[in-house]
Amino acid sequence: PIDPAYVTVTNVAGSEITSSITDIDGRFGFLLPKDVYYFTVGKSHYKFPSDTLRGKDQDELYSNLYFGGPLAHDGNQIIKLNIPLDPVGFDWNEFAKSKIDFFKLYSRKETLRRRVFALVFYTGFVFSAGKFLIAPSYFDLSILAFYLAILIYHHFWSARHKIVTVKRAGSPLSFSIIRLFLPGIDQAIKTVTTDALGRLYVLVRPGTYYLTVEEKISDGSYQKVLQTPPMELPKGVLDRDILV
């Protein structure tokens, strides 16, 4: 989803009827009387209509794609549109080359940050516990209880908010598509995309699933590169990195 983008509605005569700015999820909506309308979208560094997907009714994630044609509206119906935009000046091949070094640098910084935080936290915890055992006081007890509360919260929060990464040979698969299926009926029940660092978060009902990974390749299309065997998600959270 792209935000913020500027969506304009015009009539057949070319007069602007209304406009809106998309929200953080790229959504917009209008209440319009009966007429024929045209939609246009403006966004810096993006082009409308899309040339990449022109002629297609759907892509890997969205259907009802719109490319600027007339839309007849009866005043009562709900028209659902997904409007693709083409990035301007974005070189996917260069990004694919540079993301590896960026990911390694980011990973080193993130690992160092976590280790420093853990060292400071557990040093304080051990010091507080030792001080309480040597010379107990209500103040020391409150500090120790605070540390324990953080540990318990972190344990349960991590169990429900696990961010995993899709990798190949240690490098992230940026903007890849992950689909979760129910075994037996082979029905996709959830589809998510990874971010620029190959990360994603998946929360579903507890159960058994298998997943597929579709990698974004240099021409902008996708190819399936992995299908896992069925796996149990007893807490409904995907809690392990995906290695392709």
Side-chain angles (χ1 to χ4, degrees):
I2 297 174
D3 75 288
Y6 189 71
V7 183
T8 304
V9 182
T10 58
N11 58 19
V12 176
S15 300
E16 181 176 328
I17 304 301
T18 185
S19 61
S20 177
I21 295 177
T22 61
D23 67 8
I24 193 171
D25 294 314
R27 299 173 300 187
F28 64 94
F30 301 101
L31 290 174
L32 299 170
K34 182 178 180 180
D35 205 341
V36 176
Y37 298 99
Y38 294 83
F39 290 75
T40 58
V41 180
K43 172 68 177 177
S44 299
H45 307 299
Y46 286 87
K47 176 182 177 295
F48 172 82
S50 169
D51 292 325
T52 303
L53 295 174
R54 184 178 293 278
K56 296 183 179 181
D57 181 60
Q58 62 182 28
D59 63 6
E60 289 80 4
L61 294 176
Y62 300 100
S63 58
N64 298 324
L65 301 184
Y66 177 75
F67 298 92
L71 282 174
H73 180 48
D74 65 8
N76 296 311
Q77 70 195 108
I78 297 176
I79 300 177
K80 296 181 179 180
L81 299 176
N82 289 300
I83 305 179
L85 305 179
D86 287 342
V88 177
F90 180 81
D91 190 329
W92 173 258
N93 289 319
E94 286 301 315
F95 174 79
K97 295 175 185 176
S98 64
K99 71 177 181 180
I100 297 175
D101 292 335
F102 176 78
F103 178 74
K104 290 179 179 178
L105 178 62
Y106 177 86
S107 298
R108 287 196 295 268
K109 288 184 177 180
E110 184 69 9
T111 300
L112 178 61
R113 184 188 68 81
R114 290 180 179 178
R115 288 178 177 174
V116 170
F117 176 80
L119 177 63
V120 172
F121 178 84
Y122 286 107
T123 299
F125 176 71
V126 171
F127 177 79
S128 299
K131 189 172 184 300
F132 177 75
L133 292 175
I134 295 173
S137 69
Y138 287 112
F139 176 76
D140 293 327
L141 179 61
S142 64
I143 296 297
L144 187 59
F146 177 72
Y147 273 103
L148 290 173
I150 292 177
L151 284 172
I152 294 172
Y153 173 79
H154 179 72
H155 173 75
F156 286 101
W157 185 91
S158 297
R160 299 294 293 176
H161 298 81
K162 175 68 174 178
I163 296 176
V164 300
T165 305
V166 183
K167 304 177 183 177
R168 176 192 286 126
S171 299
L173 291 187
S174 305
F175 310 121
S176 55
I177 298 176
I178 314 301
R179 304 183 196 271
L180 270 74
F181 293 83
L182 289 172
I185 62 174
D186 297 324
Q187 175 66 47
I189 53 91
K190 192 175 186 68
T191 301
V192 295
T193 56
T194 63
D195 65 8
L197 296 175
R199 302 173 303 184
L200 71 152
Y201 171 68
V202 175
L203 178 63
V204 292
R205 292 178 63 87
T208 302
Y209 304 90
Y210 71 88
L211 63 82
T212 62
V213 178
E214 298 172 30
E215 180 183 9
K216 188 177 182 69
I217 56 181
S218 58
D219 63 0
S221 61
Y222 287 83
Q223 65 178 7
K224 182 178 173 181
V225 294
L226 176 69
Q227 177 174 320
T228 68
M231 64 181 74
E232 288 288 337
L233 300 181
K235 296 181 179 179
V237 179
L238 184 62
D239 59 359
R240 70 204 75 170
D241 288 344
I242 303 170
L243 304 179
V244 176

